[in-house]
Amino acid sequence: MKIKHCDDLNTLVSLSKRRGFVFQSSEIYGGLASCWDYGPLGSLMKLNVKRAWWNAMTRRKDIVGIDAAILMHPMVWKASGHVDGFSDPLVDCKSCKTRFRADNTDSYINEKKCPNCGSKDLSEERNFNLMFKTHMGPLEDTGSVVYLRPETAQGHFVNFQNCQQSSRYKIPFGIAAIGKSFRNEITPGNFIFRTREFEQMEMQYFVKPGTDAEYFNQWKEIRMNFYTKYGIKKENIKFKDHDKLAHYAKAAVDVEYKFPMGYSELEGIHNRSDFDLSQHSKFSGKNLEYFDEANKEKYIPYVIETAVGCDRLFLAFLCDAYREEITADAEGKEDVRVVLGLHPEIAPYKVAILPLSKKEELSSIAEKLRDDLAMDFDVTYDEAQSIGKRYRRQDEAGTPFCVTVDFDTINDQAVTVRHRDTMVQERIAMSQLSSYIAGKLKSF
Ligand code: ATP
């Protein structure tokens, strides 16, 4: 058997449309550039991606979750540097990564030089604001401008004290959140890899200054283990150190995944120092120091950030799971089985119920079995076409278990369970099916 992996994003774009993972947004109107809708299978899978990340974070004893608003006080973005750093006209220094205004920076106006490091390796001027602006209330004047958040992290920083005091956690502890972010990207593309509306899963871990380097390394390891636990192949994922650091960062590394277009950032892990809390302290006038009771010390905590895009991770899971199993029969006729070998926790459906015939004597049993199993798992039901075609449809959807109800079921109250990856079939009593599947799912 030959195995072909995914080497072209278009393969996934068409599978996604065919099977209901991802559709182009507003398709009947010709679509809206870089906007995508998650369909019946995609919305289930996306929830599973989020649940896996959320549980990995918030089931730890030292991390709490929040769900902050997309609209925040405009001063938040002033303090964070986004208002100035993302304003028109914008120039990026390719050397030290500083972003600056072209119209009020003397070194640039006079000598086309970066104001920070003096480099002349600069991007073109862009009359572009990466933050989406809107207006709060009925008046569309400058006083009513608010932004759609370009990252979720600021919700963590402004709620640092609320979370610490309400949960009574001691440092080190973290705040995790999942939510939509918006960036008016200049070059969106590569399917759901880079869009203007996307979801982020970010965690800020607050630590005592001086311990930050140690926690930075710990989080690198924790995050890499997360990916391999959920089945991402080790050979497709790696760390990439940043050559140059952003102005606030002490250390930064990207987790890169080997997408069909090449290795690209999946997650960023950053040591953000005390930059954010210090800035918010300064701009809000609130003292955001932490008081360490045991040592009677006060300090602004350092922050280790892990930030991954949910949509990008969804895409990485699809890429990694996709395989074509190519076999030839005695006459050399090729057969291609398309399989999404997703980790069962990520797969949209865990079980497909497939009655062998549409006859009432089978469908009545199969429908009851579906309803019973649906109390424990996401289950799908399919009675159209041959059983072989139905197995193939489920393989392509990543369903780990197909359950066939046949005429023997009427007498022996048992069903055939067929495994997606091995295609091995087993006869299991219907009364044992739920615990059998639960056990198999746990053992992954
Ligand atoms: P990139 O270099 O790809 O623009 P970034 O370094 O600006 O990303 P961060 O600000 O660190 O990204 O955001 C954290 C994560 O959010 C990224 O690793 C990525 O997974 C996701 N992300 C950022 N921008 C987008 C986008 N436009 N579309 C989809 N996901 C995104």
Side-chain angles (χ1 to χ4, degrees):
M1 182 170 64
K2 273 199 304 196
I3 304 271
K4 186 169 174 288
H5 295 288
C6 180
D7 55 8
D8 181 0
L9 269 186
N10 288 327
T11 311
L12 296 178
V13 177
S14 60
L15 173 87
S16 290
K17 174 158 164 76
R18 189 166 75 243
R19 299 314 322 270
F21 282 95
V22 180
F23 307 126
Q24 197 181 12
S25 165
S26 324
E27 195 182 327
I28 60 168
Y29 287 98
L32 181 64
S34 100
C35 293
W36 301 92
D37 296 338
Y38 289 80
L41 294 193
S43 55
L44 276 177
M45 176 164 152
K46 200 175 184 201
L47 273 178
N48 295 339
V49 172
K50 291 193 245 184
R51 195 178 293 119
W53 183 90
W54 183 259
N55 288 348
M57 292 293 176
T58 64
R59 287 190 179 174
R60 289 171 55 107
K61 62 179 188 301
D62 55 355
I63 295 185
V64 293
I66 56 164
D67 181 358
I70 287 172
L71 302 177
M72 301 180 81
H73 194 290
M75 283 302 280
V76 167
W77 307 111
K78 195 82 189 139
S80 69
H82 284 86
V83 170
D84 297 324
F86 281 69
S87 289
D88 327 338
L90 189 72
V91 173
D92 283 342
C93 171
K94 292 181 185 164
S95 178
C96 74
K97 308 283 182 233
T98 299
R99 283 179 163 139
F100 58 91
R101 291 268 300 266
D103 57 347
N104 66 357
T105 305
D106 287 341
S107 65
Y108 179 76
I109 293 168
N110 301 328
E111 297 175 87
K112 292 280 177 280
K113 266 187 175 175
C114 170
N116 186 43
C117 70
S119 166
K120 292 195 163 185
D121 191 12
L122 307 172
S123 72
E124 297 287 308
E125 280 184 33
R126 288 175 290 166
N127 279 331
F128 213 82
N129 192 326
L130 231 54
M131 283 203 288
F132 279 93
K133 265 187 203 160
T134 186
H135 296 270
M136 192 113 154
L139 285 180
E140 292 205 358
D141 58 14
T142 48
S144 68
V145 166
V146 289
Y147 302 97
L148 302 189
R149 65 179 175 202
E151 63 178 30
T152 58
Q154 299 304 322
H156 305 56
F157 298 128
V158 299
N159 282 297
F160 163 70
Q161 271 184 349
N162 283 337
C163 290
Q164 193 271 318
Q165 287 165 5
S166 60
S167 62
R168 302 170 61 82
Y169 276 25
K170 292 192 174 56
I171 275 179
F173 81 96
I175 303 177
I178 300 178
K180 289 259 177 166
S181 293
F182 302 82
R183 293 183 193 177
N184 208 354
E185 295 276 3
I186 298 156
T187 49
N190 285 324
F191 192 28
I192 52 174
F193 178 83
R194 187 181 303 283
T195 51
R196 295 195 168 107
E197 172 183 346
F198 54 98
E199 244 169 322
Q200 287 187 307
M201 308 192 286
E202 295 196 278
M203 191 281 305
Q204 265 65 36
Y205 200 71
F206 299 89
V207 305
K208 184 176 173 179
T211 63
D212 45 304
E214 176 193 335
Y215 285 111
F216 178 74
N217 287 331
Q218 269 188 25
W219 276 103
K220 277 175 68 179
E221 193 182 329
I222 295 168
R223 294 305 300 145
M224 192 52 93
N225 289 343
F226 172 86
Y227 292 116
T228 48
K229 174 183 169 190
Y230 284 102
I232 297 281
K233 296 178 197 79
K234 284 206 174 91
E235 64 268 27
N236 291 342
I237 193 158
K238 63 171 194 192
F239 288 118
K240 169 131 190 302
D241 285 319
H242 286 208
D243 306 330
K244 290 277 185 307
L245 296 176
H247 56 287
Y248 56 78
K250 254 188 87 181
V253 70
D254 288 341
V255 178
E256 289 194 336
Y257 178 75
K258 197 179 177 186
F259 290 98
M261 63 280 189
Y263 272 107
S264 313
E265 174 176 339
L266 176 61
E267 167 160 352
I269 302 172
H270 311 119
N271 179 346
R272 297 183 66 111
S273 71
D274 59 1
F275 175 80
D276 306 272
L277 288 181
S278 299
Q279 285 291 99
H280 285 303
S281 238
K282 197 163 108 191
F283 279 74
S284 67
K286 298 275 180 323
N287 183 358
L288 297 179
E289 279 176 322
Y290 170 80
F291 179 59
D292 177 347
E293 293 211 20
N295 299 310
K296 305 283 180 246
E297 289 181 84
K298 273 187 177 172
Y299 56 82
I300 300 249
Y302 268 41
V303 172
I304 307 301
E305 166 179 86
T306 74
V308 54
C310 177
D311 314 80
R312 260 188 214 180
L313 179 51
F314 183 104
L315 184 62
F317 277 133
L318 279 187
C319 292
D320 218 67
Y322 183 92
R323 65 173 185 266
E324 292 172 16
E325 295 180 358
I326 304 158
T327 46
D329 64 15
E331 279 92 57
K333 195 166 157 264
E334 259 194 5
D335 176 57
V336 181
R337 182 170 88 110
V338 175
V339 186
L340 275 189
L342 292 165
H343 187 285
E345 267 185 55
I346 302 299
Y349 293 117
K350 314 300 171 219
V351 191
I353 305 291
L354 314 174
L356 206 59
S357 109
K358 286 184 186 163
K359 290 211 168 85
E360 213 279 321
E361 49 197 312
L362 291 194
S363 61
S364 59
I365 301 174
E367 274 174 28
K368 175 159 187 324
L369 189 61
R370 196 220 78 87
D371 292 347
D372 289 347
L373 283 181
M375 291 203 266
D376 300 322
F377 312 105
D378 288 312
V379 184
T380 183
Y381 187 92
D382 188 1
E383 56 178 19
Q385 298 184 304
S386 75
I387 192 71
K389 286 213 170 101
R390 282 184 273 164
Y391 282 152
R392 292 294 171 96
R393 272 206 288 274
Q394 295 306 324
D395 291 340
E396 220 182 31
T399 311
F401 304 104
C402 285
V403 171
T404 311
V405 175
D406 56 29
F407 289 97
D408 290 339
T409 306
I410 300 166
N411 302 318
D412 68 2
Q413 301 297 305
V415 288
T416 299
V417 177
R418 181 255 197 194
H419 297 249
R420 175 194 69 200
D421 295 319
T422 57
M423 293 188 277
V424 165
Q425 303 195 0
E426 286 179 273
R427 197 80 184 157
I428 306 285
M430 277 198 287
S431 59
Q432 300 300 310
L433 191 59
S434 178
S435 57
Y436 170 86
I437 289 169
K440 288 280 174 205
L441 292 176
K442 266 214 159 119
S443 68
F444 262 85

